[in-house]
Amino acid sequence: MHHHFCWSFNFLDIHNQFVFVLATEKMVSLLPLNAELQKVANNELGEVPSRLADDLEALRQWLRLQPHLKARDDDQFLVQFLRGCKFSLERAKEKIDLYFSLKSQYPEMMNVTNVDDRKFREVHRLGCFQPLPIPLNGNGARIVVFRFDYPVNKYSIDEILQAGIAMHEVLMMHDPYAGIHGLIYIIDYGHATASHYLQLTPNFCKKLVSFLEKSMPLRIKSLYYINTAAAAQQFFKILIPFFSEKMQKRLHVMGHKLDEMLKDLPAQYLPKDYGGDLPSVQELAAEYDKTWDNNREFFRANAYYGTDEKLRPGKPLDIDGLFGVGGSFRKLNVD
């Protein structure tokens, strides 16, 4: 039964099967989108296939002029920032800049370079963070599960998140469903203890939200906080103000009754941990080990990219300044 689902991971392992789109006589090297995804990209994200080559070239030219910024500049990487920003070149530039700034500023959490590191694999196999194999409705958003299921005396939240952030990078590069439709998070507090909450400092929340909302070019469609106990409510008072208002509206907080979530996310898309038809999160995590093997070189290259704040023209980057009084973002256009 397990093998029945393995095909779903294959898209993560596509290495060089790129399609070449002829755009205004220039070649663009991108993973193919099926007709339905292309339609969503055109209608909802503002993608114009014939203009892609010029849009990508404009971003690349801008990158060449940034003395402080060393960024990936392949088509697949850059197109995700354009799609994630609905083809606003200015917003894509801001996101790319912050994306690499965060990597340089918080490398221990945000810049994985060695996926063969023993501790990295160990953390991954805990199954705290796992994309599920079948997108919603077979052609929609990618569903991702995050569980506070780790021994706090052994791992910090930064180490747990390190594997999660690396997974976002794999999704950005290889998953057209996440790239076009975005992500649905199921955040399971069932195993969270007071010690877990103590790791979630305001400083950690700020880093996490800076990554998820300000720099990651995958759109967050909804978040389900499940199995939340009374202790969790205290933590939410710290975390939730960091999210933009738009994101707060997409957040569903529920105790142990999951009916609301199951209405939106039917059993065929969920692991058996939540009464679904898919293998358990633990089994999926074991299967996902292959994805790290296949993306070894991509992560190795992370060592070459980042920002040098001493060379940044104009004002220095102020990550705290992204947040207004009381934690929330000053201005933010999340889609």
Side-chain angles (χ1 to χ4, degrees):
M1 150 128 178
H2 187 69
H3 296 292
H4 176 54
F5 296 102
C6 294
W7 64 269
S8 307
F9 284 105
N10 290 348
F11 70 79
L12 294 169
D13 306 334
I14 295 172
H15 261 305
N16 300 313
Q17 294 170 21
F18 285 103
V19 67
F20 289 91
V21 184
L22 199 55
T24 56
E25 300 349 31
K26 299 183 196 115
M27 300 300 258
V28 177
S29 156
L30 295 174
L31 281 173
L33 296 180
N34 64 37
E36 205 173 321
L37 287 176
Q38 188 64 61
K39 201 166 129 192
V40 176
N42 299 354
N43 298 345
E44 288 180 29
L45 307 182
E47 184 163 315
V48 180
S50 62
R51 252 197 11 229
L52 267 183
D54 291 333
D55 289 341
L56 289 165
E57 196 41 47
L59 258 190
R60 259 191 289 269
Q61 275 175 341
W62 171 79
L63 281 172
R64 283 182 208 118
L65 299 173
Q66 305 311 305
H68 67 294
L69 177 58
K70 215 168 172 250
R72 290 179 189 275
D73 69 352
D74 57 279
D75 288 352
Q76 190 64 47
F77 181 79
L78 294 179
V79 82
Q80 191 49 57
F81 282 86
L82 289 170
R83 286 170 175 163
C85 296
K86 296 196 169 175
F87 283 81
S88 153
L89 213 55
E90 288 318 300
R91 280 183 51 218
K93 289 171 187 177
E94 271 174 40
K95 273 203 173 205
I96 290 170
D97 192 348
L98 183 62
Y99 181 85
F100 287 104
S101 302
L102 289 171
K103 282 180 163 302
S104 290
Q105 193 144 347
Y106 307 118
E108 69 300 327
M109 177 167 144
M110 303 211 189
N111 203 33
V112 172
T113 55
N114 177 15
V115 292
D116 295 311
D117 176 74
R118 190 182 55 79
K119 195 161 197 185
F120 177 84
R121 292 283 179 129
E122 210 175 273
V123 165
H124 162 69
R125 287 189 200 115
L126 293 168
C128 291
F129 192 94
Q130 188 57 49
L132 302 182
I134 307 177
L136 185 62
N137 306 323
N139 203 39
R142 178 66 56 193
I143 304 168
V144 172
V145 176
F146 183 83
R147 310 184 298 172
F148 286 89
D149 204 357
Y150 63 95
V152 272
N153 56 352
K154 219 171 153 186
Y155 306 105
S156 72
I157 186 76
D158 283 21
E159 287 173 316
I160 297 295
L161 249 290
Q162 191 189 48
I165 284 176
M167 262 179 211
H168 281 89
E169 292 189 74
V170 174
L171 293 169
M172 276 166 57
M173 294 302 289
H174 299 297
D175 181 0
Y177 301 101
I180 303 298
H181 282 290
L183 300 172
I184 293 168
Y185 293 106
I186 298 172
I187 301 172
D188 182 353
Y189 288 86
H191 290 107
T193 63
S195 315
H196 287 99
Y197 291 119
L198 287 174
Q199 292 190 346
L200 305 170
T201 61
N203 192 34
F204 167 78
C205 295
K206 198 176 288 183
K207 282 195 284 199
L208 180 64
V209 176
S210 300
F211 172 76
L212 287 179
E213 262 211 84
K214 289 289 265 191
S215 83
M216 181 190 64
L218 301 173
R219 298 179 307 147
I220 299 174
K221 296 308 262 289
S222 47
L223 303 107
Y224 295 90
Y225 280 16
I226 64 170
N227 297 326
T228 53
Q233 308 300 333
Q234 287 310 107
F235 160 63
F236 298 153
K237 288 196 182 98
I238 303 172
L239 174 68
I240 291 172
F242 283 106
F243 283 121
S244 67
E245 265 173 64
K246 199 166 193 175
M247 201 59 74
Q248 292 183 31
K249 290 195 181 86
R250 295 178 186 182
L251 178 62
H252 313 267
V253 179
M254 47 196 83
H256 296 277
K257 283 205 176 67
L258 304 184
D259 320 357
E260 185 196 342
M261 179 177 89
L262 297 172
K263 265 208 304 284
D264 299 345
L265 312 177
Q268 71 234 61
Y269 306 112
L270 295 178
K272 52 187 181 213
D273 315 62
Y274 304 107
D277 306 336
L278 297 178
S280 70
V281 173
Q282 209 70 58
E283 290 170 285
L284 294 171
E287 176 73 34
Y288 196 93
D289 250 343
K290 291 207 257 318
T291 300
W292 299 128
D293 299 341
N294 290 340
N295 287 281
R296 195 170 271 131
E297 294 310 316
F298 172 88
F299 285 102
R300 207 165 275 163
N302 270 349
Y304 302 108
Y305 304 117
T307 57
D308 179 347
E309 292 305 323
K310 290 194 293 294
L311 300 176
R312 179 185 289 276
K315 290 203 306 280
L317 176 77
D318 172 19
I319 288 182
D320 288 342
L322 297 171
F323 299 90
V325 190
S328 60
F329 277 127
R330 292 178 187 286
K331 65 167 179 49
L332 193 67
N333 319 308
V334 185
D335 303 307

